Amino acid sequence: MTQATLHTENGRAKTTEVTAKKSLPLASDLDIENELAKFEAEERARLGLDKQEKQWLETMTNAQFSAAERPKITLLIAGLTIAHDFLIEAALKGLGYNVLTLDCPTNEALRFGKEFGNRGQCNPTYFTVGNLVKFLCYLRDEKGMSSEEIVKHYCFVTAGACGPCRFGMYVTEYRKALRDAGFEGFRVILFQQTGGFSQATGDDIGLRMDFPFFTSLTKAVLAGDVINAIGYRLRPYEVEAGATDRAMEVAKKACYEAFTSKKSILFALWKAKDAFAEVKLDRLMPKPKVSIIGEFWAMTTEGDGNYQLQRFLEGEGAEADIQLVAAWLLYMLWESRNDTKNRKMLRGVDFSKYGLAELGTWGIAKREATLWAADILTRIVFQTFAHAGGLYGYHLPDMDKIAHVANDHYNNDLRGGEGHMEVGKLIQNVVMSKAHMTLSVKPFGCMPSAGVSDGVQSLITEKYPGTIFCAVETSGDGRVNFYSRVQMYLFKAKVAAIAELERVCQERGISVDQARAFLEANPRYSAALHKAPHAAAGSAADLVCEIAPLITSTRMERTVKKAKSAASASAKVLRRSPQTLAITATRAASKAQEIAGWLKEDIRTYRATRATA
Amino acid sequence: MTRESTPEKLVIGMDVGSTTVKAVVIDPDSKEILWSDYQRHLTKQPEKVMELLDAIQTAFPQRPFEKAGSWRMFLTGSGSGPLAKPTGAKFVQEVNAVSLAVEHLHPDVLSVIELGGQDAKIIMFKQDAKTGSKTPNASMNDKCASGTGATIDKCFLKVNAPPDMVTSLHFDDSKLHHVAAKCGVFAETDIVNLIKSGIPSNEVLCSLADAIVLQNLSVLTRGNTLQARVLLLGGPNTYLPFLQECWRLRIPQTWEERGYKYPKDVPIEELIFVPKDAQYYAALGATIFGLSESADSGVFTGMEGLVRYVTHGRKERLGESAGPPLVRASSEADEFCDLYKIPKFTPAKFEPGQVVRAAIGLDGGSTSSKAVLVDADKNILAKAYQLSEGNPLKDMKQLLAKLRSYVQDQGATLEVIGFGATGYAADVLEDTVLADVNVVETVAHMMSAVHFFGDVDVICDIGGQDIKVLFMKNGDIANFRLSNSCSAGNGMLLQAMADQFGLPVTAYAETAFKAELAPKFSYGCAVFLDTDRVNFQKEGYSKEELLAGLAQVLPKNVWQYVVQIPRLAALGTKYVLQGGTQYNMAAVKAQVDYIKERVPGAEVFVHPHTGEAGAIGAAMETLRVIKRTGKSRFIGMDAAIDLEYWTKNDEETVCHFCPNECKRTFIDAKRPDGSTSRYIAGFSCEKGTVESKDAMIALVAERKKIASQFPNIVDYESKQAFRHFYDPVPMPEAGSPIGDIEVRKGLFGIRRVEIKRPFVRSTEESWKKRKSLRIGIPRVLNIYMTAPWFRTYFEAIGIQKQNVVFSDATTEEMWVEGGKYGSIDPCYPSKVSQAHIHNLLFHHHAPDEKKPLHYIFFPILTHVNSFVSDTMDNASCPIVAGAPDVMKAAFTKEVDFFAERGIEYLDPAVSMMEPVLLARRMFEVFGPRLGITEDENDHACREAWKALTILENDVQDKGRAILETVEAENRVAILLIGRPYHSDPGLNHGIPEEFQVLGYPILSMRSIPKTREYLDRYYKEELANGTIKSPLELNHVWPENYSANSAQKVWAASFAAHHPNVVVLDLSSFKCGHDAPTYGLIDSIIDASKTPYAALHDIDANKPGGSIKIRVKTYAHSLKLHEERLTDSARRKEQLAVALDTKRLELLELKRKQLEGLKQTDSALLRQIEELAAKVKAYQAPPQAPELPKGIVQLGRKREDGTVVRVQAP
């Protein structure tokens, strides 16, 4: 028997001794190791030791599609405001892709997210992930497509995770939910928010993440910002309900066409300006200005994810001061700038993610210059779009200032969510009278916002009495409680707005009726796109401050006043000039010396580098 | 009041709350209340508003509503929103309304506490120092919080309090027990436990009141101090004297603690008071608001709109958002009930004189106990049910007596062939009546389901409080999920909902089946669901629809919230539903629909004895055991019924081991051998399980003894991290040469040039000064990872080792004392930091004893070091990193507690991933303050890194010793996966210890050896196929590994999946946002490798004792099976080795023979044959391995030659 199993022919064991003997190999032919291996396999099977240990492996990463697949693939996008998503769709279509924007996430999306997502996620994750799964289920269950077809013909494109809060890891959730919902292998293509302008390039790459891709996206985002900013500026004061929304639609369509037909966005915005200009406004209504801060997604979405917060505020008689997506871009640039600045003079380099080890001698200056240029460029493009579209007097936040005012309370090195921005913005809103009320909206249990910022904000509200600060969490349900909380603070803000208008009128010596009469006589001040300079928190008070001198004094008096003020300023400059000049000259001299020293060092460094090379 | 004299225009204020409607009519000139009433609306808010309006009309007949503009109405309250439009009234937010009323009626009040049915609100009026104007600042409770009237109402029902107790009870703080007031479900769980433990109802109620008051004071005040005078509003505050008294005790305590100067000459009843007509404040405030509006605001348009709204309006609004009903037609309901209704049990009939031979299974449950009589053929003969009276022996005797009389009443005789017990009573019954079987509930449920349905895949048991889901494989529990504190109380919720609508629970299904649509609830805890229910009710859903909707959310809660397996089909196709909730056919229908929709070909069964599944399981196991052993050790039916026991409940039985002073009951029973067995009831923590100090010492000693045999690295690490264990190398002498880097900056380039220069030391005076400095560091969060670094740093720069002071380990007492400063409510590990800062400020800072703290150092650790080699980043959790800034805000907000004590609080941001930056930050902070030079700073940093490495290596050495030992002995070690601070015994609630005393060594993630030499063997295949280049990689499993702690946790789970002798205990804190994305990942990893796994998620401040116990026992059951599998596998591997050697010998012999045939010899071959033959011979009579003492893991280190050398346990 033993001999019978010694060796096999064509995979079949010889079963008789005689046969075995006949086929006994020569000693030199007997492959003991081979025989043993076969025997071991049989034994393992007999003893039940042949089961392979299984280990989990993530197979749905590094998704892409090939250039050949491009015509057959539809890119799905979503995630920002309705205007942004609409324009990003156009921008990508303009680049030659088939694109479809998902609807703004609803409570139904939340339910899908909860069913297929991990427990304990924050609602931006549930809403966004659920929204995608909901759409794919719709394709499968309502449109009759098979899961394989869906996986083959659709991809989802989104910004990559940025850590370190749980929303920063939402891509993990996309994979889990898609897999659990039956869409194993569905491609979620990521571009990194901080990954630069060249992330996926090459001839056979389906979705090329190159310079044109990112510039198109940025233009769409900034154009969307401008349209939204104008909309939120006008809508609360419109005389005819719905006029602003109609103008916004005109603007969005114009930009959409410009993107898809590769025409000038600037021109499209410029054309849209007329539509905005036609909206009739009554800016003397004392409306509380509510600055919306908090977690990025919760304050950006316009659907059930924040209970349509912006519309709710407007419905309650407030003006919503939203944060533009551009501010987020600037914050990310600031982060990188600040991190580089903090490390460049260290006596050594660190090799971790933020360390400057890989930048080398010239790399730091290059990175700083690039980041500075990106910041300036973002601001220039935004302001150009803004002026073309009629958004005048809009100031993008000064990131250094925000960081500076917040740092004592919320360390600038703390990251996640909006970082120190929430605290910085609240302080600015109070100190610089930028809004009557600051509303921080965040998902239930938001780590950076509810778990840290709100803890610090309680100190800020204590330090600045009279601050109206409302922190609210959204969880997808409990809409009534959410609204109730906002109303609680809004009541105070309304009182403050009315009081502010009364105070300003009193201080400037005019009444609201006088102001109204003036505006009727001087329509340029009541024009939709007119922006009174910032003087108070509310728009009505700003306008009163601007027009009061025009009512209470004659042109001659104003001219005299202006001349006097200019003269006094000039006198002051002249008085200080010798001293100032002396200081400037001394500084320049020392700086020149310093700069010369730096240049010399650069030359030395250059020589040293060449010598080493 | 004379209605004739009232002015022309009257104003109505209506407060539509969650349980009542309050209405006032006021004179707009004098603001005097002319008419008022309040009534419970029983969820019919609009109808009740109509009724009250009718009453107003009757009271003011001269002012008919029809007369246009003669009335104005202002609405407030959570239910009033939808009623504004139909009536022309204006809505006023309730906190604003209350603020206005308080400002109007009590200008001197600075704080208001209002407890409502669903909400709790605190309003604090802040005075602007400049303008003197008062600004109300209000805060409302989170969604996730209790401290409300509803919780108190439920508690009154649960303790079965007599009606007069509401007003007669007085607050007594001498006997308080732990109640978590964090949320209603937590509180309810604790209350149930207290009641079960026999705590008197007055103590339970006082404990709840105290918990609610403290919760509100610590959370709702957002860290602010309530200032006098304090006004108490809302139903509970108004009607419950004991609650008022509790406020009057606790608020002044906070005043004292925070140094707030309040008028001590004013009686406390005046400083903290309940006003007359407190219930009308919101309604009155609404009218005051209205009077400040223009005259055309809130003009009442009459009743028509409201009538229209009630009859049509509500329904119209529901159409789109509603979901489908439970059944489409009544016939569907009938068919379903016919199919699934639990058959009525008919007990067996006996003949007179018949001898009934049967085993008894008894399930001593938390609220009720059940027993079954099962004959040898496994037929259920009779059942008995008993509401638990808190004494398991009494319950047992009554149940057995019921069974005996059932048999005897028919003239038969009962012969008990065995007795098995499960549930919380099982231990005492095993001891006193010598039960044959003592089996944990989960296993009992499994056995029962298997008995009835054979090879089932999933068993889902839904009781009143708990949900248990067991996943089966090969006839045994492969895995299980239990509801935790957050997902408890689902069954109870259905019952409570029926109660709320005045229905008996038996009518639930019948009512719910009538619904034509159902609101779509989101899954979540019972409190969230109740909040949703209130919202839906406000939207106008009927009771039928609400009940249907709630039944439909039950499966979501089971499968999505507790089980979290969206692909149900992966679990199998055969499902058994059991537990008391299955009597509710609406719940069964929802479950069946849910499962069948997701699992093609699913078979769903309802257990025929759904309430007694546990008892039946115990009986079945008993039958199996007695069949195997051939005998029973049970003392017999009569002896058990006549069991002598006596209870003692007096001063002597009071537990003095903690300030709770639980009034326990000792239940002593005589064992068959004459000795006494003692069962202790009525304690609220495990300290109460021993009867005296000596017994306590003995218990602790015993546990310590066991613990010393089973190493617990988690515990060791948590202590060692904070000890001094490394003497830093002394500072170099001044002038000794050192290497440095000089930074040369150009306009564009930056060059770092290595240079040599002399070491610079600080002055002798500064060294001397540092010797007397004391630095406090809170023992929290990621300090658990980094403490040796900071300790050594400070020691190296000259701080005395005893002057580096860590706060104490977390305890409940510490939290109660120091947990009132935070303004937010994040996870417990983060918010407990305030108690640690408090501990440093108030306990370790002792200037009177010449032990002042000069600094409190709580670094913001933005990044921590990680062993995972390919992470995207190593960031700390934002909450963990940000906690130091939150603490700074909390302790400097109203009063700067640090400045007051002359302490400086330092919280620089540092990254453990950037040693150069870290050194710079440390120098920036301590250079100027402590007078150290940068060279000294750098030297200290280098020493600090050494210390950290020493600890890492030490812990890994010990870990390796454990791993090699368990591997050699085919045993398992439990790997605790969690965050660094889960080593804190106050956060892990001693769960690792529970396993340690069962004989399992505990490993920490840090203790896993991280060398390639050790790890490669477990990752052979992945290394070979190129999936990974190093075993410390993680991207192939999880690319979004930004968070260092999360990445390490997932890696550790993956390690356990690779190591056959490592099983996993997963701890996660409530609200942990960083653990959330890893739940699914860890499940996938564990499922793929079939590693035994136990998880305790959502752990919080309170210790869920019962839940821990059942998990520990069930997991121990799984581990036992796993160890058996390991032994079997080792035996088979041994057999394989023998077979292979024998085979090789045969082949070599064959070769030798062939060579002989060719007249050749090969000396090497002969030597090989000789050696192998000796080896094979040795197999035939293997030397007896010295038997290891049973139950003891002796640590060993495996040598190269395979022998194991014993080493010392940590």
Side-chain angles (χ1 to χ4, degrees), chain A residues 383-597:
Chain A
Q383 290 300 355
T384 313
F385 280 13
H387 278 79
L391 178 68
Y392 301 119
Y394 193 96
H395 300 287
L396 283 172
D398 181 333
M399 287 296 153
D400 286 325
K401 260 192 195 158
I402 291 182
H404 177 71
V405 296
N407 193 34
D408 276 351
H409 310 291
Y410 195 116
N411 196 298
N412 288 172
D413 283 348
L414 278 170
R415 298 291 156 79
E418 298 270 305
H420 58 259
M421 278 214 289
E422 282 193 51
V423 171
K425 282 184 198 164
L426 176 62
I427 297 176
Q428 285 197 338
N429 284 344
V430 180
V431 174
M432 297 162 72
S433 295
K434 289 179 116 184
H436 297 103
M437 165 174 159
T438 307
L439 191 155
S440 173
V441 58
K442 70 282 312 279
F444 174 67
C446 174
M447 301 169 80
S449 189
V452 187
S453 272
D454 287 353
V456 177
Q457 302 286 38
S458 72
L459 171 70
I460 308 299
T461 51
E462 192 72 29
K463 280 185 75 145
Y464 301 97
T467 305
I468 303 175
F469 174 69
C470 167
V472 270
E473 292 182 325
T474 68
S475 58
D477 37 26
R479 182 185 290 263
V480 175
N481 285 347
F482 177 90
Y483 284 162
S484 173
R485 260 162 218 248
V486 176
Q487 282 165 334
M488 179 168 93
Y489 290 92
L490 206 52
F491 170 72
K492 282 151 72 177
K494 278 182 193 168
V495 173
I498 294 167
E500 182 190 61
L501 184 63
E502 279 171 8
R503 178 177 54 79
V504 166
C505 285
Q506 206 178 9
E507 281 171 7
R508 302 294 196 277
I510 62 164
S511 68
V512 175
D513 289 340
Q514 277 177 295
R516 206 174 288 283
F518 175 85
L519 291 177
E520 269 171 33
N522 299 276
R524 106 179 154 89
Y525 291 99
S526 60
L529 300 177
H530 173 75
K531 170 78 177 85
H534 171 64
S539 299
D542 277 348
L543 192 56
V544 167
C545 289
E546 186 189 22
I547 62 174
L550 307 178
I551 299 171
T552 53
S553 54
T554 62
R555 186 184 292 264
M556 180 58 83
E557 283 166 339
R558 291 198 302 271
T559 314
V560 171
K561 200 174 170 187
K562 268 188 196 164
K564 273 185 183 169
S565 152
S568 122
S570 309
K572 210 184 261 177
V573 169
L574 279 174
R575 226 177 15 253
R576 288 184 181 168
S577 285
Q579 197 189 350
T580 316
L581 275 174
I583 295 171
T584 314
T586 324
R587 275 195 194 152
S590 72
K591 207 72 185 165
Q593 227 172 357
E594 202 178 354
I595 291 171

Side-chain angles (χ1 to χ4, degrees), chain A residues 2 25 47 115 118-119 161 164 172 175 343-344 347 365 411 413 477 484-485 487 489 491-492 602, chain B residues 93 136 138 141 143 289 564 598 740 748 752 885 914 921 938 1038 1040 1042 1074 1080 1098 1132 1146 1154:
Chain A
T2 324
L47 292 165
E115 175 161 359
N118 275 305
R119 188 173 51 84
T172 312
R175 288 196 301 267
R343 288 161 177 83
K344 69 177 183 182
R347 292 179 310 130
N411 196 298
D413 283 348
D477 37 26
S484 173
R485 260 162 218 248
Q487 282 165 334
Y489 290 92
F491 170 72
K492 282 151 72 177
D602 277 344
Chain B
Q93 205 276 341
N141 58 341
K143 207 168 94 110
F289 170 87
Q564 291 188 65
R598 284 159 181 81
D740 191 16
F748 301 107
R752 293 179 170 80
D885 264 352
E914 295 182 77
R921 288 274 154 86
D938 292 354
W1038 188 36
E1040 290 78 35
Y1042 295 89
H1074 261 195
D1098 298 320
R1132 286 197 295 267
E1146 271 174 28
Q1154 286 179 341

Side-chain angles (χ1 to χ4, degrees), chain A residues 2 6 24-27 30 32-33 35-36 39-40 43-44 47 49 52 54-58 61 108 111 114-116 118-121 126 161-166 168-169 171-173 175-176 180 192 342-350 352-355 361-362 364-365 408-411 413-415 444 447 450-452 454-456 458-459 462 475 477-478 480-481 484-485 487-489 491-492 598-599 601-602 604-605 608, chain B residues 78 91 93-96 126 136-138 140-141 143-144 224 289 520 523 531-532 535 560-561 564 566-567 598 740-741 743-752 823-824 860 862-863 872-873 875 877-879 881-882 885-886 888-889 893 909 913-917 920-921 934 938 1021-1022 1027 1036-1040 1042 1057-1058 1073-1074 1076-1077 1079-1080 1084-1085 1088-1089 1097-1098 1132 1135-1136 1139-1140 1143-1144 1146-1148 1150-1151 1154-1155:
Chain A
T2 324
L6 263 181
L24 192 70
L26 291 175
L30 182 63
I32 291 179
E33 295 309 321
E35 291 298 328
L36 262 178
F39 175 75
E40 182 176 347
E43 276 297 282
R44 278 185 181 277
L47 292 165
L49 291 170
Q52 283 276 316
K54 267 203 225 155
Q55 294 295 340
W56 161 255
L57 180 69
E58 179 52 84
T61 51
E108 196 58 23
R111 272 190 279 275
K114 280 193 157 188
E115 175 161 359
F116 296 105
N118 275 305
R119 188 173 51 84
Q121 289 294 342
Y126 284 140
C162 55
C165 78
R166 90 192 106 182
M169 295 177 248
V171 185
T172 312
E173 283 300 300
R175 288 196 301 267
K176 179 190 180 297
D180 289 342
Q192 299 303 326
N342 284 342
R343 288 161 177 83
K344 69 177 183 182
M345 294 308 286
L346 291 178
R347 292 179 310 130
V349 284
D350 288 308
S352 72
K353 187 180 174 187
Y354 299 91
T361 309
W362 309 102
I364 296 171
D408 276 351
H409 310 291
Y410 195 116
N411 196 298
D413 283 348
L414 278 170
R415 298 291 156 79
F444 174 67
M447 301 169 80
V452 187
D454 287 353
V456 177
S458 72
L459 171 70
E462 192 72 29
S475 58
D477 37 26
V480 175
N481 285 347
S484 173
R485 260 162 218 248
Q487 282 165 334
M488 179 168 93
Y489 290 92
F491 170 72
K492 282 151 72 177
W598 289 346
L599 274 172
E601 178 57 33
D602 277 344
R604 275 197 292 272
T605 306
Chain B
S78 54
F91 170 73
Q93 205 276 341
E94 58 263 40
V95 174
N96 297 325
K126 294 260 166 186
N137 270 312
M140 292 165 80
N141 58 341
K143 207 168 94 110
C144 198
N224 294 300
F289 170 87
K520 290 181 185 169
Y523 75 67
T531 313
D532 272 9
N535 284 330
Q560 296 177 27
Y561 197 47
Q564 291 188 65
R567 264 188 309 183
R598 284 159 181 81
D740 191 16
I741 286 173
V743 185
R744 295 189 187 154
K745 186 185 179 309
L747 195 58
F748 301 107
I750 290 175
R751 211 154 44 115
R752 293 179 170 80
S823 51
I824 48 170
I860 291 172
T862 61
H863 293 75
M872 303 283 278
D873 197 2
C877 150
I879 290 185
D885 264 352
V886 176
K888 181 162 75 179
K893 192 163 65 171
M913 287 306 292
E914 295 182 77
V916 182
L917 181 68
R920 167 61 57 88
R921 288 274 154 86
E934 193 156 8
D938 292 354
E1021 204 175 315
E1022 285 136 306
T1027 308
H1036 62 298
V1037 174
W1038 188 36
E1040 290 78 35
Y1042 295 89
H1058 284 81
H1074 261 195
Y1079 293 151
S1084 303
I1085 292 168
S1089 64
H1097 288 168
D1098 298 320
R1132 286 197 295 267
Q1135 284 175 9
L1136 178 69
L1140 284 177
K1143 184 76 191 168
R1144 183 183 285 275
E1146 271 174 28
L1147 288 169
L1148 291 173
L1150 184 63
K1151 193 167 184 177
Q1154 286 179 341
L1155 289 174

Side-chain angles (χ1 to χ4, degrees), chain B residues 22-39:
Chain B
K22 285 82 72 174
V24 294
V25 175
I26 67 154
D27 174 343
D29 299 325
S30 63
K31 292 178 183 160
E32 182 200 346
I33 298 179
L34 302 176
W35 182 94
S36 63
D37 192 8
Y38 92 98
Q39 293 196 20

